Each structure stands twice: as structure tokens, then as C-alpha cells.
Amino acid sequence: MKIGYFLSSEEYSPAQLIEQARLAEESGFDGLWISDHFHPWNDEQGQSAFVWSTIGAISQVCELPVTTAVTCPTVRIHPVVIAQAAATSAVLLNGRFRLGIGSGEALNEHILGDAWPTVDVRLEMLEESVEIMRRLWTEDGFVSHRGKHYTVDTARIYTRPDAPLPIYMSGFGPQATDVAARIADGFITTTPDHELLERFRKNGGSDKPTQAGFKVSYAPTADEGVDQAHRIWRNAGLPGELAQVLPSPRHFEQASELVTREQTAGSLAAGPKAEDHLEAFKPYVDAGFDEIYVANMGPHSIDMMKLYRDEVLPELRRSGS
């Protein structure tokens, strides 16, 4: 099993993300996730840079593989443009790039004024977008396409890697997981759901890589860690489909008022103790994921990486994870 670092584009500036990527490699992480948002989840997070510019810069400072977690190639950005951006990223990273995709959230995708589709339609759009992107990465001539959701007129990507890019798809419910098993090269999620993981494997993904990610909150004390997590990321405690349908950071801030500090404290590893951070990995290890990515919340990412370099990563590898 591989352990990676999760770069949060919503919380950190591009310069901070680039530095974190460099330090993650020095600290012994095996790869990088990076989120792709137009808006942060709330104003307290305060960032949301264009991920493709950040990936280009990261390619110049470290050699780790990079996966978007995740990009939505359906509403806000046409799949032809995502195909070009991903191909350029793969060239810059010498093939160490995987395009993680998902059906998206209204938070990011509503900005052009398009209606927010139902989940059935979003998955249908996502499947068509995958078909378009793969054609652009593999066909030698110009690509034209007239489908239910997209039109492509004599498009050709000239700068692309030697091999087609792998596409990993997120699945947070049975319907999306089934689509991922059928059309994707790998699976992405943020919950240690063994049933969904097995569903993916049984429905066509048995030989495909699986990734999962979660957040911790390193701080000098556990109380400080909980406080900063609750202040910056309490939206992570929202239940159900709210994350897919709320349209603005303001709405997430309002809904997040329902999440108590006690709920935040019970949902994550906070503070400086290696054993607490190791325990946070256990549900994902037990579920059987191939790769696990961990993000830090708050201002202590450098100290968090030192802890992982010295104690957490060696112990995970000693225990055979």
C-alpha cells in the first residue's frame, strides 16, 4: 500500500501548495492528490487557485505522481479543454499524472449559469466526457463528436504523453461506483466504505487501483487541532448530498452551523501524537485500499510532515500497510 499527501487547493495558496509538494517528497510520501475547485467550501478556507497552473509548477519541484481529486469535466469546463490540460500535465510530469474525475458539486459548477443536473444526468455527462477525452488522447487525426451533451468539432491535441492517461473516478454511492467500475481505470473515495470498495471490484474493477483520502489536523495540542479543524473545515461534517447541491460558500457556512465542535472532535485525528494519526489510517487499511492520501488542516503542515517522516510513515510501513 502507498501513502500519499493530499494538497488542499481550497485552504492554501499556490506557493504553499508547491512547497508542500516538495516537502511531501522529502518526507517520504509516495504520491500527491490535489483538489480542483472554483470556490472554497467556506470563506475561512480562503483560497481556490486554478489547479492546472499549480500542477505545472509542482512538476518542476518534485518527482511524485499527481492525481486530481477530483476534476469535474462536464459543466464548468468542457471535456475537450480538460483533455488538453490533463495531457499537458502528463507531459510535464513525464507520465506521472492520473486524471481523477467526478460528477462535481454545484458549488463549483453553477458559475456559468447552467442548471445543475440530477445525478443521473451528471453521470451520463461524465461518461460521455470520458469517451471524448480518451479519443483525443489516442486518435491520430482530428476528433469530431456529436453526442447527447457535447459537440466537438475537428479537435486535435498535439501535446500529449506517449501513453493514454489513466482516469480514476470518484464514487460516493452505489450508482457512481458502478459507473466507475465500468468506465474508469481506478477508483477514488474519501470514506473507508468497504462495501462500496467491494462493489467496485465485483462490478468490473477487480484489477484496478483504488485510492482513498482523509484529513487530519496537526497542532501543538489536540484541543488546538480540533479548534482549527472546526473553524476551517466543519463543512466536512455535513451529511448526505448537501455537498453536491449547495451553491455557494455562504450556504456551506450556514449549513455548517449545525455541525458541533464535539462532532468535529469525534471525526478526525487532531494534535501532535503519532498514535492518533496512525489510528486514523486503520479504517482505510482495513477496508483494503491500495493508496491512502492524507491532508492536513491548519497552519502546521510542515510540522505535520516532520511527524509523518519520523514516526507515522515508518510505522505504517513496518506494520506492512
Side-chain angles (χ1 to χ4, degrees), residues 175-239:
Q175 191 174 358
T177 299
D178 289 347
V179 175
R182 180 163 48 83
I183 72 169
D185 303 304
F187 181 63
I188 289 177
T189 189
T190 55
T191 60
D193 192 322
H194 179 71
E195 290 184 5
L196 281 183
L197 183 60
E198 287 304 302
R199 187 183 184 104
F200 173 78
R201 288 173 170 157
K202 288 178 181 177
N203 290 336
S206 60
D207 59 348
K208 299 176 181 179
T210 59
Q211 299 180 336
F214 67 96
K215 290 180 171 63
V216 299
S217 186
Y218 182 96
T221 68
D223 281 344
E224 185 178 340
V226 172
D227 287 343
Q228 68 192 17
H230 191 62
R231 175 173 54 85
I232 303 170
W233 282 95
R234 89 174 73 170
N235 60 279
L238 293 176

Side-chain angles (χ1 to χ4, degrees), residues 135-154:
R135 288 188 62 193
L136 287 164
W137 295 333
T138 57
E139 295 185 16
D140 291 332
F142 287 85
V143 171
S144 293
H145 171 92
R146 291 192 179 274
K148 183 174 181 179
H149 301 287
Y150 303 106
T151 297
V152 180
D153 182 11
T154 55

Side-chain angles (χ1 to χ4, degrees), residues 48-69:
S48 213
F50 190 57
V51 72
W52 303 104
S53 301
T54 307
I55 291 170
I58 287 171
S59 73
Q60 304 303 296
V61 301
C62 83
E63 298 291 321
L64 294 179
V66 177
T67 306
T68 50

